[in-house]
């Protein structure tokens, strides 16, 4: 089969899926689902059991046979973020590799949310119209819920809540054994978790009404979306009518009406109660069901990376970085200037650093968020930035990329990586070198506004045989900037072998 075909496998907590798509046309030619629930007990902090690993390996071998039958030579296996949280997840991934030859690539929750956004933008016709107004994309995963808020076609905020239908189902099972009124207690539990999470959403978004694009709501999709279609819209009243019917129906009726099996019918009640609270919280005006999932997002991104789709959604990553910086009250004028100087330096120094477009994106994010540690304490704020970023998820970035951004932010100020790069032994030598190069550039850019006074209007860069001349255009006294520049530039010399030289040119002579 032609090289345009690609096989994508997603190993999730409650199921495994294979999708074979034509990357050039976007057409799905095969879709196979296995009900092997490899991680159904992970939310109770239990290990993945060995028997389920054997079942998963058998299912994966079956997927491989389907891929072979179609003549597909390009394929990839991903493991969901929820599955990666199992205590023995890395052991299980290795066991699956030994048994099948397939290597799991873990996908972060931020990446899951991002690829879903890509798929919705390209495959849901109403997307462009909806995101011009206040719109919330809500994605349901087994153990979490993702939110992306849009207005004027720009991402305003992106958040992930560690609460999803499967996690709620396990709570309900415990409540049925311990509480006299488990449904009422579960409803209170969901309300408290959502309210506690939602207070971190920006204040200006908490009171606005939203159009809601809902992803991953299988019971609602099966009930409302017409056969042969991939989306439909419904009113809140239609949802409430569905809720009343589902809450009073038997499992047998729900399995027949919603096309569910014995393993998935138990998710209906948790999902309905969760959505009931979410729609009230985001002030939903109307609900748009879209039958897409993470696997659709992963194949869409693969098509973009392969050049079949000429789209770039990195602006959502930058918007998410700005939202994170705003949450930690980063001073916007300094941030904007460092952002501007950092990108200018990166572009003018390509012959020195030989870094990629993805590296430029990571540096761009670091330039935005490097000062977030000041929210805790301005003293040694770079150490706090490092900690916060390591514990954060950002839309579109992998966990490893967040570690790189955290390290670059750690070294933007007084400390230098130097011998401390040994702290990052989990990263390869190439990645440690990337950190050093990115940090060296950010340090110089940050030094150009060390006093946070925005005294430099613009800069020019000239690469010479033994030095890099950076000319600052300003009419102000730049004594402090010159001192900070000379101090922070030493590490640049260590990394690139050229001495940065600071010069000033007056704007008005």
């Amino acid at each position: 089969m032609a090289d345009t075909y690609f096989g994508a496998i997603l190993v999730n907590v409650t199921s495994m899926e294979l999708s074979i798509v034509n990357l050039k046309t976007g057409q799905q030619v095969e879709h196979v689902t296995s009900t092997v629930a490899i991680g159904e007990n992970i939310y109770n902090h239990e290990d993945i059991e060995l028997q389920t690993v054997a079942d998963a390996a058998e299912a994966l071998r079956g997927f491989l046979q389907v891929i072979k039958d179609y003549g597909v030579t390009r394929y990839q296996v991903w493991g969901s973020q929820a599955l990666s949280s199992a205590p023995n997840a890395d052991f299980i991934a290795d066991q699956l590799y030994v048994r099948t030859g397939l290597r799991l690539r873990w996908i972060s929750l931020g990446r899951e949310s991002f690829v879903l956004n890509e798929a919705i933008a390209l495959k849901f016709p109403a997307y462009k119209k909806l995101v011009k107004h206040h719109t919330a994309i809500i994605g349901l995963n087994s153990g979490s819920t993702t939110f992306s808020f849009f207005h004027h076609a720009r991402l305003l905020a992106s958040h992930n809540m560690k609460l999803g239908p499967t996690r709620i189902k396990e709570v309900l099972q415990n409540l049925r054994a311990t509480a006299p009124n488990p449904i009422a207690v579960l409803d209170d539990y969901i309300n408290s978790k959502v309210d506690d999470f939602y207070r971190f959403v920006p204040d200006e978004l908490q009171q606005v009404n939203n159009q809601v694009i809902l992803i991953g709501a299988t019971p609602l999709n099966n009930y409302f979306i017409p056969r042969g279609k991939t989306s439909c819209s419904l009113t809140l009243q239609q949802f409430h009518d569905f809720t009343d019917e589902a809450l009073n129906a038997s499992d047998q009726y729900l399995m027949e009406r919603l096309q569910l099996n014995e393993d998935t019918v138990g998710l209906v009640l948790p999902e309905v109660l969760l959505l009931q609270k979410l729609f009230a919280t985001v002030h939903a005006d109307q609900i748009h069901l879209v039958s897409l999932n993470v696997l659709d997002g992963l194949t869409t991104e693969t098509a973009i990376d392969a050049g079949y789709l000429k789209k770039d959604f990195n602006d959502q990553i930058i918007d998410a970085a700005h939202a994170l910086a705003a949450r930690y009250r980063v001073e916007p004028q300094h941030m904007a200037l460092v952002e501007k100087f950092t990108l200018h330096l990166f572009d003018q120094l390509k012959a020195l650093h030989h870094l990629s477009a993805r590296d430029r994106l990571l540096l761009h994010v670091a330039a935005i968020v490097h000062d977030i540690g000041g929210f805790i304490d301005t003293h040694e704020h770079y150490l706090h930035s490092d900690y916060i970023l390591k514990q954060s998820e950002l839309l579109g970035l992998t966990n490893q990329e967040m570690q790189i951004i955290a390290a670059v932010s750690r070294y933007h100020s007084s400390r230098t990586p130097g011998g401390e790069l040994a702290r990052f032994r989990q990263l390869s030598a190439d990645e440690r070198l990337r950190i050093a190069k990115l940090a060296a550039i950010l340090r110089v850019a940050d030094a150009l506004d060390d006093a946070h006074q925005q005294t430099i209007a613009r800069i020019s860069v000239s690469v010479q045989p033994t030095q890099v001349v950076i000319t600052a255009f300003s009419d102000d006294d730049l004594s402090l900037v010159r001192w900070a520049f000379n101090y922070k530039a030493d590490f640049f010399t260590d990394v690139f072998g050229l001495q940065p030289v600071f010069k000033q040119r007056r704007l008005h002579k």
Side-chain angles (χ1 to χ4, degrees), residues 37-92:
I38 188 172
E40 60 182 353
N41 295 319
I42 65 171
Y43 300 119
N44 290 328
H45 307 289
E46 297 179 17
D47 285 354
I48 296 171
E49 296 179 358
L50 292 179
Q51 181 55 48
T52 61
V53 176
D55 295 340
E58 183 178 353
L60 287 173
R61 286 192 289 268
F63 287 173
L64 279 175
Q65 185 59 51
V66 174
I67 289 171
K68 181 179 179 181
D69 291 344
Y70 274 91
V72 176
T73 57
R74 297 176 57 210
Y75 51 88
Q76 177 62 52
V77 186
W78 286 272
S80 69
Q81 184 277 335
L83 194 64
S84 71
S85 67
N88 60 338
D90 289 335
F91 298 149
I92 298 306

Side-chain angles (χ1 to χ4, degrees), residues 178-189:
T178 58
N181 192 351
I183 304 302
V185 175
L186 181 66
D187 199 34
D188 288 341
Y189 170 83

Side-chain angles (χ1 to χ4, degrees), residues 337-345 445 448 456-459:
L337 200 59
V338 173
E339 196 178 348
K340 172 184 172 182
F341 291 161
T342 298
L343 296 179
H344 185 74
L345 286 167
L448 294 170
I456 297 175
R458 59 188 175 88
I459 60 172

Side-chain angles (χ1 to χ4, degrees), residues 280-346:
T281 302
V282 302
H283 307 288
D285 277 336
Q286 192 175 23
I287 303 155
H288 308 272
L289 302 176
V290 181
S291 183
L292 293 171
N293 57 28
V294 173
L295 204 56
D296 296 310
L298 291 168
T299 54
T300 298
E301 184 168 76
T302 302
I304 293 173
D305 292 342
Y308 293 112
L309 293 172
K310 305 300 182 183
K311 299 291 183 179
D312 183 355
F313 293 92
N314 285 343
D315 60 330
Q316 289 192 17
I317 297 176
I318 299 304
D319 289 341
H322 279 124
L324 183 65
R327 176 177 173 180
Y328 287 96
R329 301 179 185 176
V330 173
E331 199 275 303
Q333 286 77 26
H334 172 73
M335 176 185 68
L337 200 59
V338 173
E339 196 178 348
K340 172 184 172 182
F341 291 161
T342 298
L343 296 179
H344 185 74
L345 286 167
F346 184 96

Side-chain angles (χ1 to χ4, degrees), residues 300 370 384 400:
T300 298
H370 68 280
H384 301 305
Q400 192 170 48

Side-chain angles (χ1 to χ4, degrees), residues 246-311:
L247 293 179
N248 294 297
S250 66
D251 283 357
Q252 185 62 39
Y253 172 81
L254 292 175
M255 283 191 290
E256 295 174 0
R257 183 68 179 84
L258 304 178
Q259 305 165 49
L260 303 174
N261 56 40
E262 291 181 355
D263 294 324
T264 56
V265 72
L267 295 172
V268 175
L269 176 60
E271 190 166 305
V272 164
L273 292 176
L274 175 60
L275 288 174
Q276 195 169 242
K277 174 61 177 178
L278 292 179
F279 293 155
T281 302
V282 302
H283 307 288
D285 277 336
Q286 192 175 23
I287 303 155
H288 308 272
L289 302 176
V290 181
S291 183
L292 293 171
N293 57 28
V294 173
L295 204 56
D296 296 310
L298 291 168
T299 54
T300 298
E301 184 168 76
T302 302
I304 293 173
D305 292 342
Y308 293 112
L309 293 172
K310 305 300 182 183
K311 299 291 183 179

